[in-house]
Amino acid sequence: NAGVMQNPRHLVRRRGQEARLRCSPMKGHSHVYWYRQLPEEGLKFMVYLQKENIIDESGMPKERFSAEFPKEGPSILRIQQVVRGDSAAYFCASSPGLAGTNEQFFGPGTRLTVL
Amino acid sequence: ELKVEQNPLFLSMQEGKNYTIYCNYSTTSDRLYWYRQDPGKSLESLFVLLSNGAVKQEGRLMASLDTKARLSTLHITAAVHDLSATYFCAVVRGSGANNLFFGTGTRLTVIP
């Protein structure tokens, strides 16, 4: 049973370009979460999605950032017109969305570097 | 805003010694998680604590939860070098919520 998949693992962009980060949840999981980790810091929640729905985007910057989880295919975190401050590791997690622990399993992350 | 604080932030300990990492959170939560992260890697789930007084143990690590004090501890017994990593606690807000609020992390270095 494959775990949470993210690609690319490393992404380099110049200021002003767009970054697209992809996340495929674990098989059977319908809930996806995106977190950002700045160097030497903990993870910060960005957005929580279920298939075709954004459930909670309270952690998303108001501009340039968007996320989707279409009916078919991976979840995508999109950053438009990247700036140096966007350089970070972006982690995706998935959960089955069931009652109980609803434990989140994390992907390997995408490390974005903005030049 | 929900705040999650860990201490210490940095911990250097010798092999064979015991130590405890503390995690305080500022508001009610019905779930607390402990994760391990190795440098440049993703997060590995260690424990999920659901109720007041919950205690879980795995190898040299033991986690406990006091929901009244809003405090969780991660106790390390007879540390070994392989335990060197950064440890994070995380909580959800209230009950029924799903997004995690992470602590600042404790970077543990075990010296042979």
Side-chain angles (χ1 to χ4, degrees):
Chain A
N1 187 11
V4 178
M5 310 285 284
Q6 286 186 252
N7 69 81
R9 296 290 302 276
H10 299 273
L11 182 61
V12 179
R13 285 288 179 265
R14 296 190 181 278
R15 282 179 297 170
Q17 291 184 318
E18 178 180 288
R20 282 187 178 233
L21 288 62
R22 294 174 185 78
C23 169
S24 296
M26 285 180 69
K27 187 176 180 181
H29 286 190
S30 58
H31 295 224
V32 166
Y33 313 79
W34 286 94
Y35 295 86
R36 176 165 63 177
Q37 185 178 34
L38 295 172
E40 308 299 325
E41 293 189 10
L43 278 72
K44 297 287 194 298
F45 167 76
M46 298 181 75
V47 62
Y48 162 36
L49 310 103
Q50 296 179 25
K51 283 285 186 181
E52 299 185 279
N53 285 304
I54 296 174
I55 306 302
D56 183 348
E57 56 181 347
S58 58
M60 286 277 271
K62 294 290 185 283
E63 297 178 349
R64 303 188 297 109
F65 285 71
S66 63
E68 62 177 5
F69 189 15
K71 187 176 180 180
E72 301 291 338
S75 175
I76 295 176
L77 179 67
R78 182 182 178 202
I79 312 172
Q80 295 179 288
Q81 299 175 338
V82 296
V83 301
R84 288 220 172 104
D86 296 333
S87 295
Y90 292 83
F91 289 96
C92 167
S94 73
S95 72
L98 301 174
T101 68
N102 201 24
E103 187 175 356
Q104 295 181 24
F105 295 85
F106 283 80
T110 294
R111 281 151 183 84
L112 173 65
T113 301
V114 179
L115 301 177
Chain B
E1 181 183 331
L2 174 57
K3 291 185 178 180
V4 184
E5 295 182 340
Q6 289 182 236
N7 72 83
L9 298 182
F10 298 93
L11 176 58
S12 181
M13 55 191 298
Q14 287 187 314
E15 280 191 330
K17 298 293 187 182
N18 305 332
Y19 209 83
T20 300
I21 299 170
Y22 297 88
C23 172
N24 289 90
Y25 52 99
S26 62
T27 191
T28 304
S29 177
D30 67 353
R31 275 170 282 149
L32 188 139
Y33 303 81
W34 282 97
Y35 288 91
R36 167 184 172 143
Q37 186 180 35
D38 291 292
K41 303 292 185 180
S42 187
L43 279 76
E44 173 191 352
S45 178
L46 296 175
F47 301 106
V48 181
L49 302 169
L50 299 178
S51 59
N52 188 41
V55 176
K56 290 194 174 180
Q57 183 165 3
E58 181 71 35
R60 301 174 188 275
L61 300 177
M62 182 174 71
S64 65
L65 178 61
D66 180 344
T67 57
K68 293 179 181 177
R70 296 176 186 166
L71 170 69
S72 179
T73 61
L74 180 66
H75 187 73
I76 303 154
T77 302
V80 293
H81 181 65
D82 286 351
L83 290 179
S84 296
T86 299
Y87 293 84
F88 292 98
C89 63
V91 300
V92 296
R93 192 204 314 268
S95 61
N98 285 303
N99 44 298
L100 296 174
F101 289 83
F102 279 82
T104 46
T106 297
R107 182 179 292 183
L108 170 66
T109 303
V110 180
I111 304 166

